[in-house]
Amino acid sequence: MIARKEYLENLLHFQDKHLIKVVTGIRRCGKSTLFELYQAHLLQSGVEPYQIIAFNLEAGEYTDINDHKALYQLVTEQLTPDKMNYIFLDEVQRVADFQKAVDALFIKKNCDVYITGSNAHLLSGELATLLSGRYVEIKMLPLSFKEFLSARPDNSNLSQLYQDYIHNSSFPYALELERPKDIRQYLDGIYDSIVLKDIIARRRIFDVEMLKSVTRFLFDNIGNLCSTKKIADTMTSAGRKITVHTVENYLEALTESFIFYKISRYDIKGKQYLKTGNKYYAADIGLRYSVLGNKRADNGHILENIVYLELLRRGYEVYIGKVGSAEVDFIAIGEEGEEYYQVAYTLMDADGKTLERELAPLDAIQDHNPKYLLTMDYGPMVSHNGIKQLNVLDWLTKA
């Protein structure tokens, strides 16, 4: 079992705080395992087993728990009156009006409540209104490259391990599977589960093939600017007419299920958010290969995807940076201000034009915030007029 250190420390930080702890993330990213790790810590710290009340609400024995009243009764029957009760509800969004049961448990002084969900809709609508200011969200992703390496005994060849990481998936259980065929089947199952359970059933989508076509388009255009009109036009030109409104609904559903993340643009000079020109990055690159097969990928955009997810893991708010007519791959906004990142797979060309092209947007930024150029090229750290050029695998593993 891989120790998800950052997530576990986050939970421990909020232990016994009067807040509902909500862990969100794509299916199979490790939310249930995180709860198991946390429960083991509680037991080691002196909590008695009967104080831990845990239910995975997608398990077969709980299929009759269909509404908040049944959920509330299920939990309260096991409460210990004179002790703190640690309540874990996995995939709670399956239960209708679950937020009413969660709120009723939350107001009890001897209940510390933890819930997970595989859809961002969990924190929208009535739950956000009912529990406003009374919950903290812990956003979980599949394994980082550093976590992936922790499960590999030989880390001497980082470049080869990076290829394994992107092709064989960052989902934790994929590490248990040795044959590429088994990994593909496992990823197919995750994809089908997300599409069928988190999107089609909840959104009542009838044109499943069109949804899958839009999903394939996004996987094939990771890191490219995508507008709803462009996607609709592409589908229509392929003989499958679709409206812009329907595309918007599909994109919203795909991002709600955490299979994709939307990143918007930010005007660095004007200090304003821009409404047009979004990009989409995948929660796991292995899913891309599972859906598209061996279709050739843009290595630079795949690397951008990995860097983007890592910035999210490190707690940054991330945007595409616009400076004049140029574009900075990422502007990362954290507690200490802004940082700028440009990502290039390699700078090794004969005339040095690639390096010049990648540095230009960063040079155009006039402030003194940190600037980084991340690349797969090996060599000592280099500074270009204050822009730090780093090997991206070192950056990923030395966080």
Side-chain angles (χ1 to χ4, degrees):
M1 188 178 291
I2 298 171
R4 310 300 298 273
K5 183 179 177 182
E6 289 79 8
Y7 299 114
L8 182 57
E9 287 178 351
N10 213 342
L11 282 182
L12 291 171
H13 174 75
F14 289 106
Q15 180 182 341
D16 295 330
K17 301 288 196 304
H18 195 52
L19 292 166
I20 299 166
K21 275 64 76 172
V22 184
V23 182
T24 59
I26 190 171
R27 286 181 179 274
R28 310 304 300 169
C29 72
K31 299 186 295 297
S32 299
T33 301
L34 176 64
F35 275 3
E36 291 174 15
L37 290 166
Y38 183 59
Q39 289 162 22
H41 174 86
L42 291 175
L43 293 172
Q44 291 169 5
S45 65
V47 172
E48 298 293 340
Y50 61 80
Q51 292 176 255
I52 297 174
I53 303 168
F55 300 104
N56 183 336
L57 294 164
E58 286 197 325
E61 59 265 37
Y62 303 120
T63 53
D64 59 335
I65 307 299
N66 293 318
D67 60 34
H68 65 97
K69 293 180 181 178
L71 176 59
Y72 181 75
Q73 181 178 349
L74 177 71
V75 175
T76 53
E77 285 175 349
Q78 297 195 32
L79 293 180
T80 302
D82 57 346
K83 293 275 190 178
M84 178 61 75
N85 296 271
Y86 296 92
I87 301 166
F88 298 87
L89 303 176
D90 222 345
E91 299 298 345
V92 71
Q93 78 276 352
R94 193 194 66 78
V95 178
D97 294 326
F98 70 88
Q99 64 276 358
K100 295 179 181 178
V102 170
D103 184 51
L105 293 167
F106 167 76
I107 62 177
K108 293 179 178 293
K109 292 184 179 180
N110 65 332
C111 289
D112 195 13
V113 183
Y114 301 77
I115 65 176
T116 76
S118 300
N119 197 290
H121 188 71
L122 180 79
L123 292 176
S124 63
E126 188 175 345
L127 178 64
T129 302
L130 186 64
L131 304 180
S132 178
R134 293 189 284 177
Y135 69 85
V136 58
E137 182 184 8
I138 297 171
K139 300 176 181 179
M140 197 168 190
L141 287 158
L143 298 177
S144 67
F145 186 54
K146 186 176 180 179
E147 289 173 324
F148 177 83
L149 292 180
S150 72
R152 295 300 181 99
D154 181 8
N155 294 339
S156 58
N157 190 338
L158 286 183
S159 295
Q160 182 56 55
L161 288 167
Y162 171 77
Q163 294 301 321
D164 293 344
Y165 176 65
I166 62 173
H167 284 90
N168 294 336
S169 171
S170 59
F171 285 104
Y173 189 70
L175 288 168
E176 304 291 325
L177 306 173
E178 296 181 0
R179 298 188 307 173
K181 178 182 177 182
D182 295 339
I183 294 172
R184 292 280 84 77
Q185 289 178 339
Y186 174 65
L187 294 177
D188 288 345
I190 293 175
Y191 175 67
D192 288 342
S193 180
I194 292 169
V195 170
L196 293 173
K197 289 186 178 180
D198 296 334
I199 299 179
I200 291 174
R202 195 178 69 78
R203 289 268 182 162
R204 297 192 177 110
I205 292 173
F206 299 104
D207 194 342
V208 178
E209 287 307 310
M210 180 60 82
L211 172 64
K212 290 185 175 181
S213 293
V214 172
T215 306
R216 286 193 293 270
F217 178 91
L218 290 185
F219 274 123
D220 200 25
N221 285 274
I222 284 171
N224 291 327
L225 291 173
C226 291
S227 68
T228 52
K229 185 178 185 307
K230 178 182 178 181
I231 297 172
D233 289 346
T234 301
M235 298 296 111
T236 301
S237 66
R240 298 291 306 279
K241 188 172 178 58
I242 185 173
T243 66
V244 168
H245 177 69
T246 300
V247 172
E248 289 175 350
N249 287 338
Y250 287 179
L251 294 179
E252 187 176 271
L254 289 165
T255 54
E256 277 188 353
S257 66
F258 303 110
I259 192 171
F260 289 103
Y261 288 82
K262 182 174 79 170
I263 176 171
S264 303
R265 293 195 302 161
Y266 180 80
D267 187 326
I268 296 171
K269 288 185 176 180
K271 299 294 182 183
Q272 60 182 338
Y273 302 101
L274 303 176
K275 294 182 179 180
T276 59
N278 301 317
K279 293 184 180 182
Y280 292 85
Y281 291 103
D284 175 69
I285 295 300
L287 276 176
R288 180 196 182 278
Y289 290 105
S290 177
V291 171
L292 298 182
N294 293 321
K295 187 172 183 179
R296 189 176 180 275
D298 183 313
N299 288 326
H301 284 161
I302 296 298
L303 186 59
E304 280 180 31
N305 199 129
I306 300 301
V307 170
Y308 170 71
L309 294 178
E310 183 62 25
L311 290 170
L312 290 185
R313 288 187 185 94
R314 297 182 187 185
Y316 290 102
E317 188 178 346
V318 188
Y319 298 89
I320 306 161
K322 179 181 180 295
V323 51
S325 60
E327 181 181 291
V328 177
D329 287 331
F330 303 118
I331 173 172
I333 304 174
E335 293 180 357
E336 298 182 6
E338 299 173 358
E339 298 177 2
Y340 307 110
Y341 291 84
Q342 199 74 347
V343 182
Y345 195 82
T346 181
L347 302 172
M348 299 295 187
D349 57 353
D351 56 9
K353 292 292 185 183
T354 302
L355 176 61
E356 181 181 323
R357 184 178 66 248
E358 297 295 341
L359 290 175
L362 295 173
D363 277 327
I365 302 171
Q366 298 302 310
D367 63 39
H368 298 290
N369 292 315
K371 303 173 186 177
Y372 300 96
L373 175 57
L374 304 179
T375 172
M376 290 287 285
D377 298 331
Y378 277 100
M381 189 198 79
V382 180
S383 179
H384 306 278
N385 193 28
I387 300 167
K388 294 180 181 179
Q389 180 182 330
L390 306 174
N391 175 266
V392 67
L393 300 185
D394 288 341
W395 179 79
L396 289 168
T397 55
K398 294 179 180 178

